[in-house]
Amino acid sequence: MRYTRQIALAEIGEKGQEKLQKAKVLVIGAGGLGCPCITYLTEAGIGYLEILDMDTVSITNLNRQFLYNDHDIDSYKAHVAERKLRLMNTEIIIHGHAKKITEENIEETIQDFDIIVDCIDNIQTRKIIYNACLKLNIPLVEAGIEGFYGFVTTIKKGFPCLNCMGYFDSKDKKEIPVLGAVAGIIGSLQALECIKVLLNIEGVLFGKILEYDAKKQEIEIINIPEKNECMMHKE
């Protein structure tokens, strides 16, 4: 009964729901993007959901990271998220780990999952995740936000990638301005992309990037231009 409304969708049905319940999803980051993403994956009935985040809750998170409150400050986000999500859906397995991603542990960390969702804001760590997903041929849902702007893309071997756009040539900013509602929209879109990949629904953003301008309430989908010298996306 929990999933009746989504089972009613022709694109899902009972067989699709069974696929979701058998799926193994890893979400890296339980912050502004991660909170909406893991919430909707939990409510959709993803059978095994793992959450990685090394950060603890701070008061500056509370304008957008709705899984946390004042009582959670200084606690690990992954542990708090696990506890609260388990209350939302007792039918699935959820594990939260305060674990740091490194070049040494990334392949072992992601190898058993059907799809990875990257919800962090550190470009260097993003690149480590990105390269490993392409190497192991695991789909990756990637996104970013800044102020009133956000983007989402889904990475898969054989399609033009963020590396083709020179994305990883940029440097991390010390403090990125974020509006909570924008984080909510983009994180929700990441959950949606994840579900579409798992169910093989048309319109996944392979080789494309969705850009969202909250001021104008405009969405634009752009084809990522293939960079011939970029070997990361080659089959």
Side-chain angles (χ1 to χ4, degrees), residues 8-220:
L9 292 167
E11 294 85 353
I12 299 180
E14 291 186 4
K15 289 185 178 179
Q17 191 60 46
E18 288 175 4
K19 286 183 180 179
L20 295 181
Q21 289 171 315
K22 293 177 181 178
K24 296 183 68 175
V25 176
L26 173 64
V27 178
I28 305 177
L33 295 174
C35 282
C37 182
I38 58 182
T39 297
Y40 281 113
L41 292 178
T42 295
E43 294 185 335
I46 297 299
Y48 183 93
L49 179 62
E50 192 161 312
I51 305 156
L52 301 186
D53 197 310
M54 269 294 295
D55 287 345
T56 57
V57 179
S58 70
I59 195 167
T60 60
N61 300 146
L62 302 185
N63 80 311
R64 61 198 182 281
Q65 299 178 22
F66 55 75
L67 285 175
Y68 317 119
N69 57 46
D70 291 336
H71 300 291
D72 300 317
I73 290 174
D74 294 331
S75 298
Y76 283 111
K77 293 179 183 179
H79 297 165
V80 177
E82 175 190 318
R83 174 168 51 83
K84 295 187 178 181
L85 292 173
R86 282 184 173 183
L87 295 174
M88 292 182 190
N89 192 342
T90 59
E91 297 179 354
I92 67 174
I93 299 171
I94 303 172
H95 291 301
H97 301 288
K99 178 178 179 179
K100 183 178 181 180
I101 292 296
T102 67
E103 290 185 353
E104 290 71 30
N105 68 19
I106 182 60
E107 291 186 24
E108 180 183 3
T109 299
I110 70 173
Q111 63 185 356
D112 294 327
F113 289 91
D114 299 309
I115 187 169
I116 312 299
V117 186
D118 183 0
C119 295
I120 61 175
D121 57 6
N122 178 289
I123 291 177
Q124 188 57 42
T125 305
R126 282 175 184 260
K127 188 173 182 179
I128 292 171
I129 298 166
Y130 189 89
N131 290 345
C133 285
L134 285 174
K135 180 180 178 180
L136 298 180
N137 201 20
I138 301 172
L140 168 67
V141 181
E142 181 71 80
I145 50 175
E146 182 172 351
F148 289 88
Y149 167 82
F151 78 87
V152 184
T153 185
T154 302
I155 312 302
K156 186 178 180 181
K157 204 170 184 68
F159 291 87
C161 61
L162 288 181
N163 200 53
C164 294
M165 298 176 65
Y167 175 80
F168 296 109
D169 296 334
S170 56
K171 295 182 179 180
D172 286 316
K173 296 182 179 180
K174 288 185 178 180
E175 191 170 295
I176 300 172
V178 180
L179 184 63
V182 175
I185 290 167
I186 300 300
S188 298
L189 288 173
Q190 284 186 279
L192 181 57
E193 279 293 288
C194 179
I195 291 168
K196 286 163 59 183
V197 171
L198 292 171
L199 297 180
N200 197 28
I201 294 174
E202 289 185 14
V204 175
L205 294 168
F206 293 134
K208 300 179 181 181
I209 186 166
L210 180 153
E211 295 190 337
Y212 173 64
D213 183 336
K215 285 186 177 180
K216 298 178 181 178
Q217 290 289 26
E218 291 181 352
I219 290 176
E220 184 177 10

